[in-house]
C-alpha cells in the first residue's frame, strides 16, 4: 500500500508530492514548523492527509514545547498549522481534535499530555485508512460495471493516510470484481491528476487513461463514462461541495449528459457550521503556478493571473455524497444531519 505519511521517532515522514511521479522520496519534518511548511508548499496535500499531518504536527510540537511555557507554545503551534491552507476543513478538524484532547487532560502532568497527544495523532492516522475503506464499501455498489469512471484531481491514497476517498471507491469497485477503467483529468495548474492519480492507480494495476481537463465534456457526452467520483475539501451543511478547481465544470457537464456525479468524503470534511458553499473560503495560490509549469514559462512576463485553487459545486449537481456512514442524497440538509448525528 502507498504510504503517504508516517510517524517516526525522528519526526513526521511524508512522501514529497511535489516531486512525484518521477522521484519517490520521503522528507522528514523534525518540528511543527517543518510540518506547516510541508502543508503550505504541498509536499503533502489533499484534505484528509493535511488533517492527519496537522494532528501529527501538533503532537510533535507538543513534544518539543517547554514545560514553563507549554500553554502559550501549544496555542502558537495550533495557530501556525491552521494558517497554512484555508479551504480544506479537515485541517481545522485535525487541530481541534488535538486541542480538545489537551483540554480533557488539563489536570494531568505534561509528560502524560505529550504521550497522549502522540498516541492520538497515530489514532487519527489509522482511523483515516479505516474510514476510507468504509467509504469504498459504500461507494463500490454505485459504480456501473463495464464503464469508465471519471475523476478530477487526486482524492487517492496520497490525499489521505491511505486507500483514498474517490480512488477508494474505485479501488473497492475493482476489488469487488467490477470491470471498470478510469479517466483521470490532468488537473491544471498543479497536475494532481497526471502526476499523482495516474501514478497511484498505475501502481495498483488499475486501467487508467489521462485526459486534459478540457476533454472531460467530450467524453461525458460520448456515453462511455458511467459515473464521476471526486473528493471534497469542504462540504457545507446543504451539500454544496468545495473541491479542486474545475470540479464545478465537470459536475455541470455530468448533469447535462445524465451521468451520476458522486462526492466521496469522510464526515470530517463536513462543515455543519455553514449553511451553504458560498461561505467556504477559496484559497488563491501563486500566479507562478499558472504562468509556468514546473519551471517552464508558459505565458509572457507581466501576464495578469487568477489562480483559485478550489471551486464550489452547488448541491443540485451532486447525485450522492459517499461517507463512511453511508450515502447521503438530496435533500442534503436532512441527510447530512442524519449521518453526522449517527441515525
Ligand atoms: O490542492 P490540493 O491538492 O490539496 O486539493 C486536493 C483536492 O481538491 C482533493 O480533491 C480533496 O482534497 C479531496 S482529497 C481526498
Amino acid at each position: 500500500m502507498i504510504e503517504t505519511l508516517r510517524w517516526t521517532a525522528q519526526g513526521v515522514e511524508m512522501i514529497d508530492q511535489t516531486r512525484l511521479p518521477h522521484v519517490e522520496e520521503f522528507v522528514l519534518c523534525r518540528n511543527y514548523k517543518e510540518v506547516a511548511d510541508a502543508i503550505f508548499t504541498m509536499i503533502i496535500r489533499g484534505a484528509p492527509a493535511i488533517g492527519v499531518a496537522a494532528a501529527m504536527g501538533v503532537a510533535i510540537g507538543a513534544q518539543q514545547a517547554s514545560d514553563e511555557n507549554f500553554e502559550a507554545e501549544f496555542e502558537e503551534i495550533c495557530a501556525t498549522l491552521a494558517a497554512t491552507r484555508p479551504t480544506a476543513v479537515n485541517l481545522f478538524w485535525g487541530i481541534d481534535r488535538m486541542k480538545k484532547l489537551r483540554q480533557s487532560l488539563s489536570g494531568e502532568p505534561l509528560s502524560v499530555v505529550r504521550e497522549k497527544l502522540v498516541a492520538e495523532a497515530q489514532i487519527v492516522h489509522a482511523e483515516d485508512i479505516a474510514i476510507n475503506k468504509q467509504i469504498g464499501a459504500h461507494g463500490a455498489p454505485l459504480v456501473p460495471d463495464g464503464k469508465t469512471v471519471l475523476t478530477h484531481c487526486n482524492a487517492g491514497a496520497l490525499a489521505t493516510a491511505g486507500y483514498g476517498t474517490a480512488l477508494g471507491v474505485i479501488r473497492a469497485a475493482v476489488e469487488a470484481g467490477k470491470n471498470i477503467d478510469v479517466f483521470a483529468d490532468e488537473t491544471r495548474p498543479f497536475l494532481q491528476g497526471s502526476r499523482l492519480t495516474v501514478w497511484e492507480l498505475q501502481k495498483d494495476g488499475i486501467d487508467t487513461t489521462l485526459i486534459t481537463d478540457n476533454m472531460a465534456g467530450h467524453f461525458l457526452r460520448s456515453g462511455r463514462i458511467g459515473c464521476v467520483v471526486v473528493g471534497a475539501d469542504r462540504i457545507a451543511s446543504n451539500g454544496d461541495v468545495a473541491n479542486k478547481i474545475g470540479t464545478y465544470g465537470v459536475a455541470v457537464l455530468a448533469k447535462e449528459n445524465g451521468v451520476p456525479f458522486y462526492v466521496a468524503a469522510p464526515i470530517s470534511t463536513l462543515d455543519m457550521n455553514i449553511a451553504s458553499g458560498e461561505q467556504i473560503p477559496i484559497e488563491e495560490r501563486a500566479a507562478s503556478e499558472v504562468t509556468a509549469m514546473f519551471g517552464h514559462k508558459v505565458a509572457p512576463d507581466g501576464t495578469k493571473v487568477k489562480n483559485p485553487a478550489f471551486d464550489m459545486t452547488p448541491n443540485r449537481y451532486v447525485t450522492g455524497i459517499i461517507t463512511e456512514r453511508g450515502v447521503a442524497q438530496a435533500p442534503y440538509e436532512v441527510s447530512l444531519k442524519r449521518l453526522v448525528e449517527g441515525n
Side-chain angles (χ1 to χ4, degrees), residues 17 42 44-50 85 88 90 132 152-156 158-160 164-166 190 192 196 230-234 242-245 247 264-266 269 283 285 309-310:
Q17 299 193 31
M42 292 173 65
I44 190 157
R45 32 66 51 200
I50 64 177
R85 298 193 72 191
N90 307 62
N132 293 334
H152 188 74
C153 192
N154 172 266
L158 290 167
T160 62
T165 56
F190 212 67
Q192 288 94 333
L196 309 176
V230 298
D233 287 84
R234 194 185 295 224
N243 190 48
K244 179 51 55 193
I245 191 76
T247 303
T269 302
E283 176 182 9
R285 292 192 66 86
F310 303 96

Side-chain angles (χ1 to χ4, degrees), residues 19-205:
R19 304 199 71 194
L20 287 172
H22 299 300
V23 180
E24 295 181 26
E25 185 183 78
F26 276 80
V27 295
L28 174 67
C29 300
R30 288 154 303 179
N31 54 55
Y32 81 88
K33 286 192 177 152
E34 289 184 356
V35 174
D37 209 46
I39 296 172
F40 181 72
T41 58
M42 292 173 65
I43 283 174
I44 190 157
R45 32 66 51 200
I50 64 177
V52 177
M56 290 185 172
V58 173
I60 196 170
Q63 271 197 323
Q64 295 167 354
S66 69
D67 279 7
E68 304 71 45
N69 208 14
F70 187 85
E71 298 313 330
E73 286 178 39
F74 189 77
E75 279 308 310
E76 175 63 22
I77 291 159
C78 293
T80 303
L81 287 159
T84 50
R85 298 193 72 191
T87 304
V89 76
N90 307 62
L91 176 77
F92 310 102
W93 170 89
I95 296 167
D96 279 354
R97 181 160 162 169
M98 301 298 274
K99 274 187 172 174
K100 283 196 183 110
L101 177 68
R102 195 281 162 268
Q103 278 154 15
S104 75
L105 299 168
S106 59
E108 301 282 347
L110 285 178
S111 57
V112 174
V113 172
R114 291 192 178 98
E115 201 179 292
K116 295 223 163 144
L117 285 169
V118 170
E120 187 73 3
Q122 286 168 293
I123 292 169
V124 169
H125 180 269
E127 276 180 6
D128 188 60
I129 298 172
I131 285 168
N132 293 334
K133 296 250 164 107
Q134 286 162 347
I135 290 173
H138 288 298
L142 302 172
V143 176
D145 203 1
K147 290 270 200 178
T148 300
V149 180
L150 175 66
T151 192
H152 188 74
C153 192
N154 172 266
L158 290 167
T160 62
Y163 200 69
T165 56
L167 299 194
V169 170
I170 290 167
R171 287 192 164 96
V174 170
E175 284 161 21
K178 287 198 173 171
N179 176 26
I180 56 167
D181 71 325
V182 177
F183 272 24
D185 283 349
E186 74 172 346
T187 317
R188 272 282 279 152
F190 212 67
L191 305 181
Q192 288 94 333
S194 57
R195 294 189 304 107
L196 309 176
T197 294
V198 174
W199 178 80
E200 67 167 83
L201 291 179
Q202 270 182 359
K203 273 204 179 271
D204 276 8

